[in-house]
Amino acid sequence: MFSVVIPLYNKAYGIERALKSIINQNGEFTYEVIIVNDGSTDGSEQIAENFLSDNIRIIHQANAGVSVARNIGITNSKYEVICFLDADDWWEADYFSTLYNLIVAYPHEKFFLMGFQKVSKLGRKVVSLSKNPKIFKKFGNSFLNTRGLVTPSIAVKKDVLYEAGLFPMGVSLSEDLMVWSKIISKYNVIYTPQVVSNIYYEEDNSRANRTLKVPYVLEYYAKPDNSAKNIKKFLMYIYVTKLYQSIRVKDFESWKRRWVIGFKIFPLVSYILFFSIIFFGIKNVFKYK
């Protein structure tokens, strides 16, 4: 019924918790877990190997990135519904049952999204897009919907993953949003606010030096041949939040790179943002000395 894909790279601190959250699911569901060890060097794979069974297996590869790891998991899966879990995140015990109920209620739909909470040293914060279950027919036309689109709370049928071309290889920032953008532009999003995923927000070596890059999803849709129909607000959210991130860490160079790409998609909004920076003063905003 469910194929769970876990890319694993240097998550010795989290992989045991992630796997136990799958094993300890409520109810009786047919599932498999495909762990793709992406060249870990911290012993993550040894911890994962302690959990191997008839329905939990591991594939080893030289470090090639999270997209390649997820794609290998997908191509080696045997069930129709693909679920994703990162090695430092974990599920609530009702993840499978919540997803199963959605699929039974909407058997012909392709993309399922469930609630989650952010977990960090500062505490927990639930992210919800609505109070009740909802069918989003044009998910990408709402600015704030993007904040709910986290991969460990997403399940998708395998055929549309292949239709979207799987995850883009060689991409380290927003590789998942690239795939989701292609799917939500064509298919409904079946959503429930039921919190089933815990997303761990903590800096580690796999995230270092990549957060100030231009998100690939913006670079892709900045090209004139790639249509952003039905996902303009989705992209705008990414654009604005990444610009804000650059301001927050006072990195003018990353702000410029992001602004140049975003201008190709949102020229009017970009002009407004640019003149706002000029009005307040670049030195004041970025605190140049």
Side-chain angles (χ1 to χ4, degrees):
M1 176 173 285
F2 303 129
S3 291
V4 183
V5 175
I6 303 179
L8 175 61
Y9 178 70
N10 288 355
K11 294 294 190 304
Y13 62 84
I15 183 60
E16 179 176 349
R17 178 178 59 192
L19 289 170
K20 284 183 176 179
S21 77
I22 300 172
I23 295 169
N24 295 328
Q25 288 291 300
N26 295 333
E28 297 292 329
F29 297 97
T30 301
Y31 71 91
E32 64 172 346
V33 179
I34 306 163
I35 307 161
V36 182
N37 174 40
D38 191 33
S40 294
T41 59
D42 68 342
S44 297
E45 73 284 5
Q46 297 173 12
I47 297 173
E49 286 172 352
N50 293 329
F51 291 85
L52 299 186
S53 64
D54 290 341
N55 61 336
I56 301 177
R57 53 196 167 109
I58 189 168
I59 298 172
H60 297 281
Q61 68 174 28
N63 182 252
V66 65
S67 289
V68 174
R70 284 181 177 140
N71 290 345
I72 287 176
I74 293 166
T75 55
N76 282 274
S77 65
K78 62 183 179 182
Y79 296 121
E80 178 189 21
V81 178
I82 308 296
C83 309
F84 299 93
L85 183 60
D86 290 341
D88 52 353
D89 300 328
W90 66 99
W91 286 339
E92 295 294 320
D94 58 351
Y95 177 97
F96 281 159
S97 59
T98 301
L99 175 58
Y100 176 80
N101 289 336
L102 289 179
I103 294 172
V104 169
Y106 304 97
H108 301 298
E109 298 294 345
K110 303 286 188 178
F111 192 94
F112 304 90
L113 177 63
M114 295 164 281
F116 71 95
Q117 60 183 348
K118 297 179 179 181
V119 181
S120 71
K121 292 180 179 179
L122 300 177
R124 298 171 181 250
K125 181 181 180 181
V126 173
V127 177
S128 180
L129 302 182
S130 68
K131 293 182 179 180
N132 300 304
K134 185 175 181 179
I135 302 175
F136 288 96
K137 294 186 179 296
K138 293 184 178 180
F139 186 89
N141 283 347
S142 174
F143 183 78
L144 291 177
N145 280 351
T146 310
R147 64 195 172 96
L149 208 57
V150 298
T151 298
S153 277
I154 290 171
V156 60
K157 292 186 178 176
K158 192 188 302 184
D159 58 336
V160 296
L161 285 169
Y162 282 113
E163 181 184 328
L166 300 180
F167 292 87
M169 295 184 291
V171 177
S172 60
L173 182 62
S174 80
E175 75 290 332
D176 49 353
L177 293 177
M178 182 70 251
V179 180
W180 308 145
S181 72
K182 292 182 177 181
I183 298 175
I184 66 174
S185 68
K186 296 181 179 179
Y187 294 95
N188 296 333
V189 173
I190 307 303
Y191 174 74
T192 177
Q194 178 69 33
V195 173
V196 298
S197 299
N198 297 279
I199 310 302
Y200 184 66
Y201 279 82
E202 202 67 49
E203 191 68 24
D204 60 30
N205 291 335
S206 71
R207 293 186 176 93
N209 301 318
R210 69 182 174 98
T211 56
L212 292 178
K213 295 180 179 180
V214 177
Y216 176 71
V217 67
L218 294 180
E219 293 181 329
Y220 178 87
Y221 287 105
K223 299 175 182 177
D225 292 338
N226 296 327
S227 172
K229 182 180 179 181
N230 294 329
I231 55 169
K232 276 290 185 73
K233 295 291 181 64
F234 163 84
L235 295 173
M236 187 180 294
Y237 181 90
I238 298 170
Y239 177 44
V240 171
T241 55
K242 293 303 179 183
L243 287 180
Y244 173 73
Q245 179 194 49
S246 294
I247 292 174
R248 190 178 60 190
V249 299
K250 310 188 189 317
D251 191 303
F252 184 56
E253 294 303 315
S254 68
W255 189 94
K256 285 195 300 184
R257 292 193 301 270
R258 291 166 167 178
W259 185 89
V260 168
I261 293 297
F263 178 81
K264 297 177 181 179
I265 311 172
F266 307 107
L268 179 59
V269 171
S270 297
Y271 272 127
I272 294 172
L273 293 171
F274 176 77
F275 286 112
S276 296
I277 293 293
I278 297 298
F279 177 79
F280 288 107
I282 291 175
K283 290 185 179 179
N284 292 328
V285 173
F286 293 97
K287 296 193 181 301
Y288 278 3
K289 294 182 180 179

